[in-house]
Structures are given as structure tokens and as C-alpha cells.
Amino acid sequence: CACQASLAPGVARGVVQPLVLLGLTVVALRAGAGVLGVCLALLAGMALTAALAAVFYGRLFPLRPTLEAALRGPMDEGMLRFAGPLVSAGVLTAVLGYIDMLLLGLLGVRAAEVGFYAMCLLYAQTLSQVRSVFDPSVQALIPPLYERGDRAALRSSLARQTRWSMALAAPVFVLFAGFSDVVLRVFGREFSHGAAALAILCVGQVVNALALTAWLLPGTGHTRVTARLSVVWATIETVALCVLVPRYGINGAALAAALGLAGLQISQSFAAWKITGVHGYSVALVKTALVAGAALLVGLAALALAPGGLVARFGVAITLAALVYLGLSFVTAHEEDKGTARALVRRFSRRG
């Protein structure tokens, strides 16, 4: 269907990109390529993702005519007034994604700890990428449904995609936050020093992954509200970094970054709800959180009690946690989501 097709470019950026970047970075580090090698690995990963996204886009729309129309078309002043605040907010959010790294260096944190924090960001931002799988379809559905005044359909669609985003983000959160000490050791034993920072960062990122409701602001023309809230929370995060980093180091930076990101997304979602009367949150999110908590407890118990070395115990722990999560998720899932899951299984079974 059109909704599923519109997810394809988001999959390229939200699923393929973080996996490719993580894989190439690990290979570069293990090969001893240094900073330049890591930079080249990141550049290659971005280029591969862009190419894949272009392929997906070309399956939905003719790519060349679209580019020609965009470049040769007349200037749309109304679009500029709409997009200006939104682009400004996007640029500010992108800068905020790295200001913690900058301030860590300026505030005298050791270079080694800055490196630990950088690896924590690499993992934690994977959670944020989960949301980008659903962003394109959410952006596409909001204007027509809101214009028709079909609040029920808009609320139902937002709730459905927020559930799906939570279903994907929760196991990633369990992996990176619950087993942060272990997953950081892939870069070296000393990187486990950043375990607490990674867990804290993941909290902010999972809130961001669930904030699809925030798209109601630009989707209904309230881009200035988005921009104003971005400025407010950028200021709060910067002040928090200056206060917390000197005292708590990379853990303080993680606290400030999580506060800024979560605060921004919560405030945007709240503003969107107050303006439009629509949001995408439901009790199903609490159920998924409880399921993820159960999976985490089982995984941690297995990690502590299973025989063998760390790698073997980690493998057992992740396998058991995944089985618990999948089993309980299906039992507690929304009936509509169960039907979707069955349809996907049948579809892939026929392909096999």
C-alpha cells in the first residue's frame, strides 16, 4: 500500500544508515585506521545511505522530473514563510546534537572521556533513527486528514505508528541501556567507563522516538511554535551542560543532552495536542514498556547466571531477552497490530 511504500526511504535512513555507520566504524577502529579512517567510514556510510534512499524514492516518484521541477519552478514565498522557521529549528536541533561534544572539550574533560562519550552517542542515536522510519508517512498523512477535519482518523493513525515506533525502539533501548557496559566493550574494555552515560542518553532518545505527535505542529502550519520551543530548549540544554559537565563529566553531559532532547519533544507534543486536540499516545505504550522491562530483567539474570565467558553469556542473555520480548509483545499487542504481524509473516512465507 501507499503507506508501506512511503516508509521505504525512512527505512534507508532509520534502519540501514545506523547499521551501516556502526558496522563501518567498528571495522575502521578494529583495523587501526584512526580518526581519518573513521571519518572516511562515516562518509562512505552516508553516501551509501543516500544512494539507497534515492533508489527507494525513484520507485515512488520519477526522480529526474522531480529534481528538474524543483530547480526550474517559480519561487513560492508562502512556502518560504512556512519552511523558514522549520529549517531553522532543524538546524538548531542538529547543532544541539553535537554541542555536548564541543562543550566537553571546552570545559576541560579528558580527551579519552570525550572519546567514550562519542561512542555512547553513536549507539544512542540509533534509537532516534527508529523514529525516522515513520516520519515520512506521518508527515504525509497529517495535512490531508487535518484539512478534512477527520481528527479520529488522524488520532488513530498517529497512535498506530507511535505504537510501532515504540515496538522497535524498546528492544534497542533494552540492548543499549540495559547492557551498556557490554556493548561498549566492542570498542575496548576501557570504553565501559561510559556505560552510565549511554544509559542516560538512551532515555532521551527513546522519548524522541515516541514523539511523532510533534509533527502536528509543522503539519498544521505552526512552524513558528516548533522554532520557538527549539530555541527555549537549546538554551536550557546549553546552560545545563555548563552546570553539569564540570561536576559530573560525561554523565553530566548525558543528563543535559537527555533533558534537552526529551524536554523539546515533550513540549512540542504537548503544544501540538493543545492546538489540534490530537495526540498519538495510548495505554499500549505502557504495555510495551512493561514487556521491555520484563525482557531486560530476564536478560540481566541470564548474563549474571549463565556459564561461560562474557561473549557467551551475553549471547544467551540477548537471545532469552529477545524471546521474552517477542512472546509477551504478541500476547499483549493491539489486535490491529497482531493482524499486521500475521499478514507480514504470511507475506514473507510465500516469498520463501
Side-chain angles (χ1 to χ4, degrees), residues 308-330:
L310 179 62
V311 174
R313 289 188 288 116
F314 181 59
V316 171
I318 292 302
T319 301
L320 290 177
L323 291 174
V324 169
Y325 181 77
L326 290 173
L328 291 180
S329 291
F330 188 79

Side-chain angles (χ1 to χ4, degrees), residues 158-211:
L158 270 177
R160 181 189 312 113
Q161 299 200 57
T162 303
R163 289 197 311 269
W164 293 351
S165 185
M166 177 65 166
L168 290 178
V172 179
F173 177 83
V174 167
L175 175 62
F176 290 157
F179 299 92
S180 55
D181 176 78
V182 182
V183 296
L184 283 170
R185 291 193 183 194
V186 69
F187 300 107
R189 183 179 297 272
E190 66 277 9
F191 280 86
S192 61
H193 180 73
L198 175 55
I200 295 167
L201 286 169
C202 285
V203 173
Q205 293 289 351
V206 80
V207 172
N208 179 56
L210 301 180

Side-chain angles (χ1 to χ4, degrees), residues 75 92-93 121 185 196 206 221 230 266 274 289 291 320 330 332:
M75 185 69 69
L92 184 58
T93 301
L121 283 177
R185 291 193 183 194
V206 80
S230 297
I266 291 171
K274 293 296 290 184
V291 167
L320 290 177
F330 188 79
T332 61

